[in-house]
Amino acid sequence: MFFVDMTFTDVEQITPELTERHRAYLGKQYESGKLMFGGRKVPRSGGILISQHESKEELTEILNADPFIQSGLVTYTITEFVPVMASQAYEHLVA
């Protein structure tokens, strides 16, 4: 699994239109089942994604096509992790 930490480089330039394009793009990615969770940080400085893509390279390709990333106004870091504990509702995700 992967944890993606997205950070705005200039939040003042993140427009509603750009945000809508980003959400529409990610919406299509959620349909694959590989993106699992996502949402904005509080305070609004970026966002977080949880993914179960096959590889970091596959995920990187998806992220680099995101309108947020392509705008140059958002950067990201990817951390790969192996879940070893979970609540009962998410036990099926534990390796």
Side-chain angles (χ1 to χ4, degrees):
M1 288 190 147
F2 298 93
F3 175 87
V4 180
D5 186 357
M6 301 176 96
T7 302
F8 297 147
T9 59
D10 186 351
V11 71
E12 298 299 320
Q13 295 206 29
I14 303 292
T15 64
E17 294 80 17
L18 179 59
T19 300
E20 182 53 39
R21 288 191 359 247
H22 160 73
R23 288 182 180 163
Y25 174 76
L26 288 185
K28 292 178 184 173
Q29 301 306 316
Y30 279 104
E31 291 174 12
S32 75
K34 294 179 181 180
L35 273 184
M36 300 169 59
F37 300 98
R40 69 177 90 151
K41 294 180 190 176
V42 177
R44 189 169 184 244
S45 60
I48 300 293
L49 298 170
I50 303 291
S51 145
Q52 58 181 357
H53 283 83
E54 297 295 321
S55 68
K56 184 175 181 179
E57 292 76 23
E58 179 186 12
L59 175 58
T60 298
E61 187 176 317
I62 299 299
L63 292 172
N64 287 341
D66 182 333
F68 265 179
I69 302 305
Q70 290 187 337
S71 75
L73 297 173
V74 177
T75 61
Y76 65 86
T77 59
I78 299 173
T79 303
E80 186 171 4
F81 69 101
V82 177
V84 295
M85 297 177 72
S87 69
Q88 193 171 28
Y90 299 102
E91 282 180 339
H92 64 284
L93 299 174
V94 176

